[in-house]
Amino acid sequence: MDSEQLRECGHRMVDFIADYYKSIETFPVLSQVQPGYLKELLPDSAPNQPDTLDALFDDIREKIVPGVTHWQSPNYFAYYPSNSSTAGFLGEMLSAAFNIVGFSWITSPAATELEVIVLDWFAKMLKLPSQFLSSALGGGVIQGTASEAVLVVLLAARDRTLKKQGKKSLEKLVVYASDQTHSALQKACQIAGIFPENFRVVKADCSNNYAVAPEAVSEAISVDLSSGLIPFFICATVGTTSSSAVDPLHKIGTIAQAHDMWFHIDAAYAGSACICPEYRHHLDGVEEADSFNMNAHKWFLTNFDCSLLWVKDKSYLIEALSTNPEFLKNKASQANSVVDFKDWQIPLGRRFRSLKLWMVLRLYGVESLQGYIRKHIQLAKHFEQLVLSDSRFEVVTPRNFSLVCFRLVPPTSEDDKGRKLNYSLMDTTNSSGKIFISHTVLSGKFVLRFAVGAPLTEGQHVDAAWKLLQDEATKLLGSA
Ligand code: PLP
């Protein structure tokens, strides 16, 4: 590593990136390339001799950028957002610079200690119960993704139950969630060895705006108990992936406590909104939870990846995930005087991710972060009003945060519940490259999702997106 070379190349890369952001609206939001396009453009094997940075930049412009879908575009409204920011970007840079592998405290004390402090800060911003703070039995840790978060707590819960019920009880353990819960939980069950027939998916429907009905959960648990099974884990969601539904945390928590089950809350997307006092009520009932997760890398200006997980009692996580090989032994760990985050996660190695979150919190401050969230929710409200003002469209389920679920109402002659019509609307608008929206299915209806949350999105982008959708709808209905 030559410092002067790094300085020169680094400056050029920063210029490239700044120009990219400046011109981001000139690119099609959704990449328009065909599968396999890159194989046609790049050689079959790695170069034997070093190439120049100029040649590389040419290839990035001509061959890579066309294959990028621009998640940071202000016209990106698909899935849920994945925010970048100057602070998050600087944090990533510094993390790449130190390039530590912080599995144990000794491998970089600052990495572990900053993570503990920043997660305590965040827990206080969310007004999580004090048991989730590092000063108590619990604490927070940064995972890569919400999927990893739910996997590690499922493993902790599994081992906690097996310790009580005996190792041979694995085949009896039952997991509960709604049909709106993210598929990450199903994957976690597959990995954790939960028997597939013991993954209980409780139906949530429009009568509760796609939140799970606690009575249905209780009923499923009763049936399983009477069959000799062991209910041990339940996951509730604050801001479901399809429609941002919020499960009733208090009631689910009460059920979990009554049956000595682990209660996990997945607030991957909507957790960010709960730093605003007016949205904090969505977390009421978190006191009952054993674990709580939210993704700072979604809607909190922190570059991917940065998924925040808190547990009420860290000992279960550590018991399930710790190993203590000779080659990692050191004085601080042996004395039990430090946190070794290797025992809170699946991999050994871990990046210095707390830096970027710390920088986001330091350089923006809580007040302007609250303003950022509020602005997106206002823009989503505005979009919702636009949809409501055009009788050809409908809002499918009430909006909770910054996601609007809507669709073109199909003519009565169509018997596919509007699937073809709304698929065509999504496909034509996305193929235009002007916006990117995504879809889901709710109660059999093909529904379009408009998620506001990209950092550069302003009112004019929402208005232009709506005009595009209206114009395409006119064309489609005309030709229907
Ligand atoms: N949970 C919810 C509610 C989500 O919306 C998502 C992704 O959008 C996930 C979990 C999975 O997130 P990750 O990619 O961090 O695993």
Side-chain angles (χ1 to χ4, degrees), residues 80 144-148 182 184 237 239-241 266 268-269 295 297-298:
Y80 277 138
T145 62
S147 307
E148 289 163 66
H182 195 277
T237 308
T240 57
T241 311
D266 173 1
Y269 150 73
N295 282 352
H297 64 239
K298 274 190 162 54

Side-chain angles (χ1 to χ4, degrees), residues 39-354:
K39 201 168 187 310
E40 304 292 313
L41 300 177
L42 292 185
D44 279 345
S45 51
N48 276 329
Q49 300 302 320
D51 221 330
T52 63
L53 190 59
D54 282 320
L56 205 68
F57 271 126
D58 287 344
D59 273 2
I60 292 169
R61 273 189 212 96
E62 288 159 27
K63 299 170 185 170
I64 300 299
V65 172
V68 171
T69 289
H70 300 280
W71 286 64
Q72 304 313 315
S73 164
N75 299 308
Y76 178 96
F77 302 105
Y79 313 116
Y80 277 138
S82 181
N83 286 181
S84 165
S85 68
T86 303
F89 179 81
L90 294 177
E92 278 285 299
M93 265 174 104
L94 191 56
S95 168
F98 291 139
N99 204 32
I100 60 129
V101 184
F103 43 83
S104 302
W105 176 86
I106 194 176
T107 62
S108 262
T112 299
E113 297 199 9
L114 187 63
E115 188 160 330
V116 171
I117 291 168
V118 169
L119 271 106
D120 277 350
W121 283 7
F122 215 110
K124 289 178 193 163
M125 284 158 54
L126 289 169
K127 303 204 173 353
L128 294 186
S130 59
Q131 296 105 305
F132 286 96
L133 297 177
S134 65
S135 51
L137 290 182
V141 57
I142 302 180
Q143 304 282 331
T145 62
S147 307
E148 289 163 66
V150 74
L151 173 58
V152 296
V153 296
L154 185 72
L155 295 171
R158 180 197 66 183
D159 288 3
R160 182 179 80 165
T161 306
L162 290 180
K163 209 168 172 185
K164 285 185 206 152
Q165 304 277 354
K167 279 185 221 153
K168 297 210 171 109
S169 305
L170 182 63
E171 66 188 275
K172 293 188 187 161
L173 301 189
V174 190
V175 171
Y176 299 80
S178 97
D179 61 356
Q180 301 299 306
T181 305
H182 195 277
S183 54
L185 177 60
Q186 188 192 342
K187 189 183 269 194
C189 288
Q190 287 166 210
I191 298 170
I194 304 306
F195 280 42
E197 62 272 28
N198 291 348
F199 179 48
R200 214 57 82 237
V201 178
V202 179
K203 225 167 149 4
D205 61 28
C206 62
S207 62
N208 283 325
N209 295 329
Y210 300 98
V212 75
E215 303 76 30
V217 175
S218 286
E219 208 177 297
I221 290 175
S222 297
V223 172
D224 288 332
L225 284 171
S226 61
S227 312
L229 295 174
I230 306 170
F232 87 106
F233 188 93
I234 185 158
C235 176
T237 308
V238 175
T240 57
T241 311
S242 273
S243 68
S244 288
V246 179
D247 287 332
L249 303 187
H250 260 309
K251 290 186 175 164
I252 299 291
T254 306
I255 295 170
Q257 275 193 354
H259 299 286
D260 196 19
M261 297 164 75
W262 187 289
F263 177 28
H264 177 65
I265 298 175
D266 173 1
Y269 150 73
S272 298
C274 301
I275 65 159
C276 301
E278 67 272 34
Y279 300 112
R280 171 58 180 76
H281 65 93
H282 290 296
L283 296 190
D284 289 352
V286 65
E287 317 77 66
E288 258 87 52
D290 294 284
S291 48
F292 174 85
N293 170 233
M294 67 142 284
N295 282 352
H297 64 239
K298 274 190 162 54
W299 192 18
F300 204 79
L301 291 172
T302 309
N303 293 44
F304 188 81
D305 51 354
C306 194
S307 184
L308 315 182
L309 171 69
W310 289 269
V311 288
K312 214 180 235 173
D313 186 342
K314 56 185 171 281
S315 68
Y316 296 115
L317 207 52
I318 293 169
E319 265 177 50
L321 298 173
S322 68
T323 53
N324 191 20
E326 186 57 42
F327 52 85
L328 296 182
K329 285 185 182 157
N330 63 82
K331 213 161 46 173
S333 300
Q334 301 296 94
N336 241 338
S337 57
V338 293
V339 174
D340 286 335
F341 277 128
K342 72 178 174 56
D343 298 333
W344 298 50
Q345 62 171 23
I346 308 285
L348 176 70
R350 61 198 325 270
R351 307 194 309 126
F352 199 163
R353 283 184 291 225
S354 54

